[in-house]
Amino acid sequence: AGLPPGVLNVVSGYGPTAGAALASHMDVDKIAFTGSTDTGKIVQELAANSNLKPVTLELGGKSPFIVCEDADVDKAVELAHDALFFNQVCSRTYVHERVYDEFLEKAKARAQRRTVGDPFQKEIEQGPQIDTEQFEKVLRYIRSGIESNATLECGGDKIGSKGYYIQPTVFSNVKDDMAIAQDEIFGPVQSILKFKEISEVIKRANTTRYGLAAGVFTQNIDVANTLTRALRAGTVWVNCFDVFDAAIPFGGYKMSGVGREKGVYSLNNYLQVKAVVTSLKNPAWL
């Protein structure tokens, strides 16, 4: 475009061609991409096939939200709701068996109170899906959950005959091998799973190809420390969620990305190390 070196290009797009021109350009030295894992793979491939430019990726997630038996259930319900229905990514909610029924009823009631409609209206909490493709994809996942014998607690269908609006949907009795528990849906679908032991939930939470973030709700510092160390995720929030700061690095393990954003770790992605060796005929220490 005739712009001087050093210009930061931000390209917004949807689908597998997003950023293809930049990713494959021979004069672009670095790419940072945020989006789906499938598109991230394409961006990385294009970068490799051009000038082998370095790529950092912040991609998908199927983040576990773990509610222990001593958690503040009301707070956990609200933050789990926001984590899923606002960001539409933290859709595996693991709840200890002793508080499972209480959590489920409150989570269901909160989803049923969620307001859906024109996102430009102040009182609206949830707008439509972005297009027909995503709308149909979310509905397919909901049908998959029903066919897999998960219990549909609320929602499960579109809203009205116009637009791409989907009812806030909550599933219970979800199993780890179900598609709604494994795949990133990017839609208003919450899966609530039951667990009994900390060692068990660690194993189950890590059994995913993603590792972007996780939430832990407990009043026990030892349990919190155990979970934060054991969970394979780039960010673990304890008794909170979606707390960000410019100094806190953000990024994922496994197929949730490569590299980190924010903090000193992000700067390292844009630096090159150079070694300079010079021969000296009369060094001062001789």
Side-chain angles (χ1 to χ4, degrees):
L3 298 173
V7 171
L8 173 64
N9 294 279
V10 179
V11 178
S12 298
Y14 180 73
T17 60
L22 280 176
S24 59
H25 202 290
M26 294 296 292
D27 291 332
V28 172
D29 295 325
K30 168 73 172 64
I31 288 285
F33 172 77
T34 300
S36 73
T37 298
D38 288 342
T39 305
K41 289 180 179 180
I42 294 172
V43 169
Q44 194 166 42
E45 182 179 8
L46 291 170
N49 289 335
S50 55
N51 58 348
L52 207 61
K53 62 177 69 63
V55 177
T56 50
L57 303 168
E58 197 264 275
L59 305 176
K62 193 68 176 176
S63 303
F65 191 103
I66 300 172
V67 181
C68 298
E69 60 181 310
D70 62 344
D72 181 331
V73 173
D74 290 330
K75 182 178 180 181
V77 165
E78 187 62 31
L79 287 181
H81 178 88
D82 288 342
L84 182 279
F85 291 100
F86 179 77
N87 281 336
Q88 300 195 353
V89 294
C90 193
S91 53
R92 289 189 300 151
T93 308
Y94 289 94
V95 183
H96 193 276
E97 60 181 12
R98 291 183 182 174
V99 293
Y100 184 87
D101 292 340
E102 177 189 359
F103 184 97
L104 176 60
E105 287 305 309
K106 292 180 176 180
K108 176 182 175 180
R110 179 63 181 92
Q112 290 173 324
R113 294 195 306 270
R114 188 170 184 80
T115 54
V116 183
D118 181 355
F120 291 101
Q121 300 300 316
K122 186 177 180 180
E123 69 276 9
I124 296 299
E125 296 177 286
Q126 177 181 313
Q129 302 304 296
I130 191 170
D131 60 12
T132 302
E133 181 181 352
Q134 183 63 18
F135 176 73
E136 294 296 340
K137 175 185 175 183
V138 175
L139 290 176
R140 284 196 302 272
Y141 273 112
I142 292 173
R143 290 193 296 270
S144 169
I146 295 171
E147 292 165 0
S148 299
N149 295 321
T151 302
L152 179 63
E153 296 288 345
C154 65
D157 203 353
K158 63 182 180 180
I159 297 176
S161 59
K162 291 184 178 180
Y164 305 128
Y165 297 93
I166 295 177
Q167 296 172 345
T169 300
V170 175
F171 281 103
S172 64
N173 298 315
V174 178
K175 306 302 180 185
D176 294 289
D177 59 354
M178 293 179 182
I180 58 172
Q182 284 294 317
D183 298 345
E184 184 180 40
I185 299 175
F186 265 134
V189 183
Q190 183 178 28
S191 297
I192 303 180
L193 305 91
K194 185 185 295 185
F195 77 93
K196 183 176 182 178
E197 302 289 345
I198 293 299
S199 57
E200 164 209 341
V201 77
I202 289 170
K203 182 177 180 180
R204 293 169 62 191
N206 286 336
T207 305
T208 173
R209 57 186 178 275
Y210 297 111
L212 185 59
V216 171
F217 273 75
T218 180
Q219 302 304 314
N220 187 319
I221 188 63
D222 293 328
V223 171
N225 284 335
T226 297
L227 286 169
T228 55
R229 291 196 309 269
L231 293 172
R232 298 192 65 202
T235 300
V236 182
W237 286 290
V238 180
N239 295 326
C240 60
F241 206 84
D242 275 352
V243 178
F244 297 97
D245 185 88
I248 301 174
F250 186 78
Y253 285 31
K254 298 183 278 188
M255 292 181 69
S256 286
V258 178
R260 293 292 183 269
E261 299 172 350
K262 302 181 180 180
V264 67
Y265 294 94
S266 66
L267 298 178
N268 293 335
N269 299 319
Y270 295 86
L271 300 176
Q272 290 276 18
V273 175
K274 179 186 288 187
V276 177
V277 180
T278 303
S279 173
L280 298 179
K281 291 185 177 180
N282 297 297
W285 55 86
L286 291 181

